[in-house]
Amino acid sequence: MSDGAAPPLVQIVDLHKRFGSLEVLKGITLDIATGEKVSIIGPSGSGKTTLLRCINWLERPSSGHILIDGQPIGERLAGGRRIEMRDRELARMRARIGMVFQRFNLFPHLTALDNVAVGPIKVLGRPAAEARREAMALLDKVGLGHKRDVYPEMLSGGQQQRIAIARALAMRPVLMLFDEATSALDPELVGEVLTVMRQLAAEGMTMIIVSHEMQFAEDVSDRTIFMDHGEIVEQGPPHTIFREPSHPRTRAFLRAVIERQVFQAASA
């Protein structure tokens, strides 16, 4: 970091994650600036989702550490030792990180409006009237204000995912994580979710996006990272990674993606 430069919003230092004898992350070190949009691509099993889950401590790293806006998440320093955060302290840190999953995970017994408002009320202690006003504004933002009183089972997958994005935004996060946010959707519904994500990117939200939507990743990202076997193999400007990758593993992955897309188009 040069003199006078703002510190990165996300700092990941020598991050390892093991599940028994299987090492899923093998020493990831990564800085992400405030407002930066970073897409992560790679084959299944490369560690992309595990990395996102470690960033908000849904998975506890085996070693290494993560700082969000200069503050460690999951653990704190005390007397020169790292002490695991208490649940309440961890919840406060997690509230600053929005995450949108492959599955929508909406509360089935709550309306769209209440799904968005419940987090600020229950976790952040905001007054219900204020939280509901902001939730309504967020539903309008994702184009679903007219669905405020509808329950999830009456909504399409794309609509549920847009509500999930609104729910994450209601916590006023400094960082948004997207884990294959469109992979569970029918093809005709993908575009409406990507439109909302493009809007967030244009507004300057810091975003880490795991996605198989390669054109979207190239268009919206400031930087693209290719992961394989738990390591960052290559990273750089999206145009370079997608059009002129330098590593053979990146080239082989993108070639396989293109061939699959051509086959799917021919079979449609």
Side-chain angles (χ1 to χ4, degrees), residues 26-27 44 51 64 69 81-82 91 108 120 124 126 143 222 232 252-253:
K26 303 174 181 177
S44 297
L51 176 59
D69 206 10
R81 296 186 301 120
R82 294 190 179 276
L124 302 180
R126 291 186 194 149
D222 301 306
I232 293 177
F253 169 75

Side-chain angles (χ1 to χ4, degrees), residues 10 15 37 54 65 105 110 134 144 169 193 200 230 247:
V10 181
L15 190 70
K37 273 67 70 177
C54 284
H65 58 273
N105 298 325
L110 297 180
E134 185 164 338
L144 291 171
L169 293 174
V193 175
L200 291 179
H247 200 285

